[in-house]
Amino acid sequence: MKNQRFPSFSGKTIGAFGGLYLVLIYCVLATGADAITRTFSHGFEAPQLFCFSGAIVAALSALSVLRTNSTRKFRTLRPRTMALRSLFFILCSLFYFAAFRALPFAEVFVFIAFVPIFAALLSYPILGEPVRWQSWIALIAGAGGMVLLYPEGLAAFTWAHLCAFLGALTGATAMVLARHISKDDKNALLQVLYPNIAICLVMACILPFVYKPMSLLDVLMVISYASLLFLARWVLVLALSHMKAYVVTLLINFQFVIMVLVGALIFGESPTVNLIAGALVIIFAGAYLVLDEWLADRFAGRAKAMSKFTHLDERFVTRRKPQKGQIA
């Protein structure tokens, strides 16, 4: 009996839809981590959270790396890019911490809506990935959907708003650099390990000046935050290795939808028409980007296959010698 071969999907097809599931998981994990950040920021300074959480995340990452079968367990193929990503990771964490401390979730996440735009602008110079005009339409629609979620608008522009803007810019840069590293370095855990080692060391230098005693509940909050952060960032790096950076960053806006659902189911907050409209715009914009990438990859694969077939056919015709009595 002949062995049956199971149908297989192309790597890029798996990347588009597998990346979608990874981003949705990331949104759930990130929502929990952001809630803890907001709660913790009212009583403590940023170094106290990021020093301890960075150490925990780095330890979890190191243990996970040791369990891999890679011969170069802790060696990255792009050390300079990894160092640059770590720098932007630290800046992004500090900016968002300051923003979450002073602003409501609504105002902070309105700025996060612009992360896909930043990622799209940075994807071409860093990754050489051109953004098609269809994708620009989806990106603008997604950002517009975020504004629809909170139609009351922003308050007067303050330092906290500037922090939210810079957090979005540095966060988008770190995400694009993560995809750049993933092209050569397939060990996603290293992109979680080294940035957290960096933020732990930097915050440890500042911690003695701002440290406050913590209760058992505060310690549990830090551990929970670190655990959620470890899983979220690992999942995010995996998603960036499967999908284009601007697609992933736009799909991250699904986190708003999760927040609306949590507010309605747990806190009894009834979503307004604007919230529903904004959520629908984000969903359709994100789905369009995934479909656009999948169709582009599929057509590119077909064109490549047809080109190869045509090339082989031409070689066969040129090498075939005419038989006696036939016209060459």
Side-chain angles (χ1 to χ4, degrees), residues 38-319:
R38 182 169 177 78
T39 304
F40 195 86
S41 65
H42 291 303
F44 301 91
E45 298 297 329
Q48 191 152 345
L49 174 63
F50 295 138
C51 178
F52 295 125
S53 65
I56 295 172
V57 174
L60 292 173
S61 303
L63 291 174
S64 300
V65 170
L66 288 173
R67 293 174 62 88
T68 62
N69 296 325
S70 174
T71 55
R72 300 188 303 269
K73 293 184 182 297
F74 293 98
R75 181 183 173 186
T76 175
L77 299 177
R78 290 188 173 272
R80 294 180 181 177
T81 310
M82 185 71 76
L84 191 61
R85 168 173 155 74
S86 300
L87 173 62
F88 281 104
F89 169 78
I90 295 173
L91 293 175
C92 173
S93 301
L94 292 176
F95 285 137
Y96 276 141
F97 187 92
F100 277 122
R101 165 180 280 183
L103 297 175
F105 270 171
E107 294 191 21
V108 175
F109 281 111
V110 166
F111 285 98
I112 295 177
F114 294 97
V115 171
I117 303 296
F118 296 146
L121 294 174
L122 294 168
S123 291
Y124 181 74
I126 296 178
L127 304 176
E129 296 179 349
V131 182
R132 301 166 63 193
W133 65 268
Q134 296 96 331
S135 299
W136 278 112
I137 294 176
L139 288 168
I140 296 172
M146 299 299 292
V147 177
L148 283 175
L149 284 170
Y150 303 100
E152 65 273 9
L154 297 174
F157 199 81
T158 63
W159 165 251
H161 293 102
L162 178 61
C163 288
F165 175 83
L166 293 175
L169 180 59
T170 53
T173 306
M175 288 180 180
V176 176
L177 289 173
R179 180 164 175 83
H180 187 264
I181 296 171
S182 298
K183 289 185 175 181
D184 296 320
D185 199 338
K186 302 304 179 184
N187 191 349
L189 282 168
L190 294 182
Q191 295 198 50
V192 182
L193 172 65
Y194 289 118
N196 279 282
I197 290 177
I199 197 171
C200 176
L201 295 177
V202 172
M203 295 298 106
C205 297
I206 309 174
L207 183 60
F209 303 99
V210 297
Y211 179 80
K212 293 180 181 179
M214 294 190 297
S215 65
L216 178 60
L217 179 60
D218 296 327
V219 174
L220 292 176
M221 286 176 60
V222 173
I223 295 174
S224 300
Y225 171 80
S227 302
L228 291 172
L229 204 63
F230 169 72
L231 294 174
R233 285 172 180 165
W234 188 7
V235 168
L236 179 61
V237 172
L238 290 175
L240 287 167
S241 66
H242 287 295
M243 305 178 75
K244 292 180 180 179
Y246 65 88
V247 179
V248 172
T249 50
L250 181 57
L251 290 175
I252 288 174
N253 289 336
F254 277 115
Q255 187 175 351
F256 273 92
V257 181
I258 297 174
M259 292 175 65
V260 171
L261 293 175
V262 170
L265 297 175
I266 297 178
F267 301 105
E269 299 173 354
S270 300
T272 63
V273 175
N274 297 90
L275 287 172
I276 296 173
L280 289 175
V281 170
I282 295 168
I283 290 172
F284 284 117
Y288 175 78
L289 274 181
V290 174
L291 183 62
D292 179 61
E293 183 187 17
W294 178 72
L295 290 174
D297 291 339
R298 186 177 181 183
F299 290 143
R302 285 186 177 181
K304 185 177 180 181
M306 289 298 296
S307 176
K308 184 177 180 181
F309 177 78
T310 305
H311 178 66
L312 291 174
D313 187 59
E314 288 176 353
R315 289 178 59 187
F316 174 76
V317 172
T318 54
R319 290 185 179 182

